[in-house]
Amino acid sequence: MVRTVYSPEYCLQYLEQYASQEIFVTGLILGQITDARENVIHIARTPEEKGGEAISNDGSFASEKQDPVKNLLGVSEAWVADHAKHVTRMLPGGMFVLGIFITSDEDVFEDPNYFSKVKTILNYTYKVLNTNHLMFANCPHSNERLILHMSTNTKVLTCKSIEVGPSKNVAIKPVEWKFLSKPQQWQRLDCYYEFDEVYPVIVKKSGISVKQQFQQILESSHKTIESSVMFLDGELKDPSEQLEQLIKKKKTKNSSKTAQEVPKSMHVSLFVPFENALPETVEYLECDGSIHFSGIVASSVFMYPKASVGEAIAAVKQDIIRSLASRFTMHCDALIDDNLLPEEKVCFNEPPRRVLVPVGSLYLCDYLFPGEAPAEALLSVRELLDLQITEADVICDIETPADTSEFDALDRDTSSEELLATPQEASQFMYITGIAFAFLVLFVSIFIHYYDSISEFMRKLLTIS
């Protein structure tokens, strides 16, 4: 059975504009794979490579341009992979880089040199995206990647797929690419995950950096979120049921004339089972400090309506962890001092906050540090997604800046001047590092772990009395 991919019609116009000018272009194919259907949401030209510089966190470039690449053999696979890495941060859960597109006068499928280059680009990109599994950068459904080619001579469009990764299968498979004249309908799912955790910091002899500590926190958060149970609109649903069927049932239930219109988005609630929130073991460790994370991570996921509830839940979980991983990476890259705990100080930090940017009939995201205006997101969208949007199109209120009044008051207290370090720039999602918190966390963990034993001992003591 031939693989079929559905794409917005504007993607054809996008390819034709470059092919008609006989311009060589390579870029990324972005989309979603479900058991019901495979949808492409956008194709984005990879920016021209700059003089040895990588794409920065905000999507901008600092160095001068190199000479334009004339054909596929001159493309740097590292540059394409870097583009894919930055674009993945902008994708909601359930969306992935599905392959690459090319406009050229050479036939990339017939010429062995060009096809070998295509395979090198796709395999290198897969390898780079696989280095951070918490970014969920590689699509878990399949290791096959799309190759879409439009000839600048004949304007003929051809799509095929190959398998990447450890597999030695080099078979080229045909793919049927269909353009949709009407906008694709999407089911939106919104979730607000409250993050309020305290993590002890143990500095080993070799030391520990902010990035290393964040990686440990991400691993812990991933385990917690994966163990959680999710409710759609306050109800536990069958994972095999289609989202479309849930909407139809709700419309039937609210079919009376006075009934309000069924909301276009579903609200997802996340519940962590109590037993999964308890530590597996209690270790007596000397803590050097703690990190307190507090805030709400806003998640907006878009699914094909015929996708299953199970696929939607997996996408929401991916989105939360991907968002945390993206913020932590950007925050660490922006830090001047990688020292985890300043001596005898409490540091207030804010990672970047999330904003939404429109792409077709759905939204992708970007991240803004405190003090950055929505115009900063326009730069990322233009460079990374090759889209022109206005500042008014950026939705900035899904996450609000952090309330720093408590720390501002502490800063004004002359007796506490030495306790508070200068705040780093960023958002509503914040973390605080300090010395005192860790001992409280350790005490509470020990009490919870031995609570049952203490209770049983007290009952026996009362019985004897």
Side-chain angles (χ1 to χ4, degrees):
M1 185 175 179
V2 177
R3 180 180 179 182
T4 304
V5 175
Y6 296 85
S7 164
E9 196 168 41
Y10 81 81
C11 290
L12 175 60
Q13 300 164 359
Y14 183 85
L15 292 168
E16 289 175 339
Q17 80 175 16
Y18 289 118
S20 62
Q21 300 174 42
E22 298 185 353
I23 298 176
F24 166 75
V25 171
T26 185
L28 305 177
I29 301 171
L30 315 177
Q32 181 180 91
I33 300 177
T34 64
D35 291 339
R37 196 162 89 172
E38 185 169 345
N39 290 293
V40 168
I41 61 167
H42 185 59
I43 55 176
R45 177 183 184 177
T46 297
E48 292 182 10
E49 189 171 356
K50 306 303 185 283
E53 294 290 336
I55 304 172
S56 63
N57 284 323
D58 62 2
S60 61
F61 301 90
S63 55
E64 296 181 359
K65 291 184 179 180
Q66 292 181 334
D67 294 333
V69 176
K70 300 295 184 182
N71 57 53
L72 189 63
L73 298 180
V75 173
S76 166
E77 51 265 26
W79 186 254
V80 176
D82 200 51
H83 182 210
K85 180 177 67 176
H86 283 80
V87 167
T88 297
R89 292 179 185 171
M90 306 178 76
L91 298 176
M95 302 285 185
F96 304 91
V97 175
L98 301 182
I100 61 173
F101 74 87
I102 303 159
T103 64
S104 67
D105 56 359
E106 304 92 3
D107 191 329
V108 298
F109 298 110
E110 294 297 330
D111 190 306
N113 292 327
Y114 286 101
F115 188 67
S116 176
K117 183 65 175 182
V118 170
K119 290 192 294 183
T120 300
I121 292 173
L122 289 174
N123 276 290
Y124 188 86
T125 301
Y126 173 86
K127 183 179 179 180
V128 169
L129 295 182
N130 219 33
T131 55
N132 187 351
H133 70 282
L134 295 178
M135 282 294 294
F136 296 100
N138 281 311
C139 181
H141 289 80
S142 172
N143 281 347
E144 288 187 14
R145 294 296 179 266
L146 299 172
I147 307 167
L148 180 65
H149 178 258
M150 176 171 276
S151 170
T152 56
N153 295 325
T154 64
K155 309 302 183 289
V156 173
L157 192 68
T158 307
C159 186
K160 296 184 181 181
S161 70
I162 60 170
E163 194 162 343
V164 296
S167 174
K168 296 182 179 180
N169 184 8
V170 294
I172 308 172
K173 299 179 182 179
V175 177
E176 185 178 3
W177 191 290
K178 292 186 177 181
F179 293 99
L180 302 173
S181 57
K182 295 181 180 180
Q184 169 65 54
Q185 298 299 312
W186 296 94
Q187 179 57 54
R188 177 171 174 170
L189 298 99
D190 292 322
C191 179
Y192 297 92
Y193 177 62
E194 185 173 0
F195 206 98
D196 189 12
E197 301 288 342
V198 179
Y199 298 92
V201 176
I202 298 136
V203 180
K204 301 176 183 178
K205 290 183 180 180
S206 59
I208 183 169
S209 67
V210 175
K211 194 168 186 178
Q212 289 172 319
Q213 183 68 32
F214 281 177
Q215 187 64 27
Q216 295 176 10
I217 291 171
L218 271 174
E219 295 286 356
S220 175
S221 300
H222 178 222
K223 181 179 178 181
T224 299
I225 291 172
E226 283 298 322
S227 69
S228 65
V229 178
M230 290 196 173
F231 288 70
L232 298 184
D233 290 334
E235 298 179 1
L236 187 62
K237 304 295 183 180
D238 183 351
S240 63
E241 195 168 4
Q242 290 184 355
L243 297 175
E244 190 177 56
Q245 296 300 318
L246 301 182
I247 297 297
K248 289 180 179 179
K249 289 179 181 179
K250 184 166 289 191
K251 286 182 178 179
T252 303
K253 191 179 294 185
N254 298 338
S255 59
S256 62
K257 294 181 180 180
T258 57
Q260 296 181 349
E261 185 180 353
V262 177
K264 294 182 180 179
S265 67
M266 290 181 173
H267 178 68
V268 180
S269 304
L270 185 150
F271 296 93
V272 180
F274 182 70
E275 60 271 16
N276 292 335
L278 297 178
E280 294 180 357
T281 59
V282 175
E283 297 181 12
Y284 296 92
L285 297 172
E286 184 178 350
C287 300
D288 299 277
S290 69
I291 298 182
H292 179 200
F293 280 90
S294 179
I296 296 177
V297 176
S299 169
S300 290
V301 167
F302 297 83
M303 299 296 297
Y304 178 57
K306 291 186 182 297
S308 68
V309 170
E311 289 173 324
I313 288 175
V316 173
K317 292 181 177 181
Q318 287 172 7
D319 186 71
I320 295 171
I321 294 298
R322 180 186 282 174
S323 180
L324 288 174
S326 298
R327 297 169 203 246
F328 288 172
T329 301
M330 295 175 69
H331 182 67
C332 289
D333 290 343
L335 288 177
I336 298 174
D337 183 8
D338 197 35
N339 183 26
L340 188 62
L341 290 173
E343 292 183 6
E344 298 183 0
K345 287 184 179 180
V346 175
C347 289
F348 173 75
N349 293 263
E350 297 176 80
R353 65 189 176 98
R354 197 176 210 178
V355 296
L356 298 181
V357 293
V359 175
S361 56
L362 47 74
Y363 288 91
L364 305 191
C365 71
D366 196 16
Y367 297 93
L368 298 180
F369 284 94
E372 289 185 334
E376 298 292 336
L378 305 186
L379 182 62
S380 298
V381 171
R382 182 174 68 250
E383 294 284 0
L384 298 175
L385 299 178
D386 199 18
L387 278 174
Q388 296 292 335
I389 62 173
T390 65
E391 194 170 330
D393 294 326
V394 182
I395 299 177
C396 299
D397 59 355
I398 59 166
E399 291 183 352
T400 56
D403 181 7
T404 62
S405 57
E406 178 183 350
F407 304 98
D408 292 339
L410 182 60
D411 194 25
R412 289 192 297 269
D413 186 352
T414 56
S415 63
S416 303
E417 280 186 358
E418 296 302 320
L419 295 177
L420 185 67
T422 304
Q424 302 289 337
E425 289 191 344
S427 92
Q428 172 204 21
F429 186 64
M430 59 184 179
Y431 71 90
I432 309 155
T433 57
I435 304 298
F437 297 109
F439 298 103
L440 175 62
V441 176
L442 184 62
F443 174 77
V444 172
S445 299
I446 294 172
F447 179 79
I448 291 174
H449 186 73
Y450 292 107
Y451 176 79
D452 291 337
S453 300
I454 295 171
S455 300
E456 182 64 24
F457 175 76
M458 292 300 295
R459 281 196 297 270
K460 290 181 179 179
L461 185 62
L462 290 173
T463 302
I464 294 171
S465 301

